[in-house]
Amino acid sequence: VLPVRSDVALHDASGQAKEGQATMFTAAPVKDGDGTVLAVIALRTDSTLSFSRLFQAGRIGHSGETYGFDGAGKMLSHSRFSAALIQAGLIQPGQQEILNVRTSDPGGNLLEGYRPLTPPSEQPLTFMAAEALAGRDGMKVQGYRDYRGVPVLGAWAWDTDMGMGLATEIDEVEA
């Protein structure tokens, strides 16, 4: 199951119990001899441990990152830019990016001090996210703004069965 907000307080990386933390479940049916499903067994997992680590393998150079996002454009994995997201006001200190950062285009580079007048929930999705959610897998080797407002080059795909998208991007200046 893709990351969801937990309905119970979970311990964060510092050991503090916090409400609304992202969590994941692995589930499997329990069947009888005839194949009838009798129950479901589920295991809660920490999305920061295994799921997000898969995406970290897509980090190239100083700015390359790979991340997952859902049908609303919310990030499903950690960003390599956590500190910058805090500084830009997209998340609070101690808050995860997972389910809290939307892949929206702020309209300018947040890292250079740009401050949009509208909240992320009212901003358009990034070019990449809009294309992916419209069912158009692709890549763009001419810069477009990412969720930080930084011009990037990227490639993306949407998996309908999983209900998630996958993007890999690198800052245009580094590429």
Side-chain angles (χ1 to χ4, degrees):
V1 178
L2 294 176
V4 296
R5 290 196 194 284
S6 177
D7 56 350
V8 298
L10 297 175
H11 296 295
D12 66 7
S14 67
Q16 301 242 352
K18 289 189 177 180
E19 298 286 331
Q21 292 284 91
T23 189
M24 292 180 71
F25 293 91
T26 301
V30 177
K31 300 178 181 180
D32 67 11
D34 297 325
T36 303
V37 176
L38 302 174
V40 174
I41 187 167
L43 172 68
R44 179 189 304 268
T45 59
D46 181 345
S47 59
T48 63
L49 295 177
S50 54
F51 189 68
S52 283
R53 285 191 182 147
L54 291 172
F55 295 95
Q56 291 174 358
R59 292 182 176 177
I60 56 171
H62 298 289
S63 65
E65 79 167 332
T66 299
Y67 58 92
F69 56 96
D70 67 14
K74 296 274 184 151
M75 291 188 77
L76 297 175
S77 56
H78 282 295
S79 166
R80 83 180 295 169
F81 305 111
S82 298
L85 298 178
I86 292 169
Q87 186 175 20
L90 290 178
I91 55 173
Q92 300 301 312
Q95 186 180 35
Q96 296 179 338
E97 310 87 86
I98 301 170
L99 301 177
N100 291 312
V101 172
R102 185 169 180 262
T103 55
S104 57
D105 179 352
N109 191 330
L110 299 175
L111 305 185
E112 293 178 350
Y114 177 80
R115 293 296 175 255
L117 299 176
T118 57
S121 61
E122 296 176 21
Q123 296 166 1
L125 291 170
T126 63
F127 175 82
M128 173 282 302
E131 288 292 296
L133 291 173
R136 294 185 290 269
D137 298 349
M139 67 178 184
K140 189 162 168 71
V141 294
Q142 297 166 325
Y144 62 91
R145 284 187 297 269
D146 70 358
Y147 58 92
R148 303 169 298 149
V150 174
V152 296
L153 311 181
W156 57 89
W158 180 258
D159 187 311
T160 303
D161 293 335
M162 290 289 296
M164 70 172 282
L166 178 67
T168 190
E169 297 170 329
I170 189 168
D171 290 5
E172 183 177 40
V173 296
E174 183 177 5

